[in-house]
Amino acid sequence: MRDADGRPLLTWRELGGYIRQLPARARTRLAMGQTDGVWALQEHLQALTVDELRIANWQRSNEGVKESKQTKPPKPMARPGVGRGHDKNSPERIAKRKAALTRAADRRRALAAGEIR
């Protein structure tokens, strides 16, 4: 497809491809809620250091204490994009997939009927 001046138009698929290839810290990705790459290696290493120090302090504080009386171990710091547990077959994802398939079928029907070109 082309615009009035004959330039090729960008399809939604091409636009999605360009967005997926943006750098992790691009404002467009952040505006879309994609926080996977907000932290660089340095931030992850600092969080790991904090986690290790918390575990070491927990171990020292529970030294010589019966296992049944020990406090719970500390949870690791939350990191953006890590451990979110996206399940490919979660109900939300299944619903989104069904909606996309319905939209695609509706579009194919409209194209076949000549409603859109």
Side-chain angles (χ1 to χ4, degrees):
M1 293 177 29
R2 298 188 175 273
D3 65 3
D5 297 327
R7 292 182 298 245
L9 294 176
L10 190 65
T11 66
W12 287 110
R13 183 177 183 151
E14 290 171 328
L15 178 63
Y18 287 129
I19 289 173
R20 279 190 296 280
Q21 293 176 14
L22 285 172
R25 293 185 180 202
R27 289 180 186 256
T28 305
R29 280 187 169 234
L30 296 175
M32 292 174 57
Q34 297 178 4
T35 59
D36 290 352
V38 175
W39 280 14
L41 178 62
Q42 181 178 354
E43 286 88 1
H44 281 285
L45 290 174
Q46 287 174 342
L48 181 63
T49 303
V50 169
D51 289 342
E52 292 299 321
L53 286 171
R54 290 170 66 197
I55 289 172
N57 287 334
W58 170 77
Q59 287 173 338
R60 276 193 228 80
S61 68
N62 286 311
E63 189 176 341
V65 178
K66 283 186 184 179
E67 193 171 333
S68 62
K69 301 282 185 185
Q70 289 182 356
T71 59
K72 291 183 180 180
K75 292 183 180 180
M77 282 183 67
R79 293 161 173 81
V82 177
R84 282 195 259 156
H86 283 299
D87 182 15
K88 282 188 172 182
N89 294 317
S90 69
E92 297 84 18
R93 224 174 132 121
I94 290 171
K96 284 182 181 180
R97 217 174 340 193
K98 283 182 181 178
L101 290 172
T102 304
R103 285 192 310 272
D106 291 343
R107 182 165 174 79
R108 280 193 298 276
R109 269 190 240 106
L111 282 169
E115 296 170 9
I116 50 177
R117 4 179 238 163

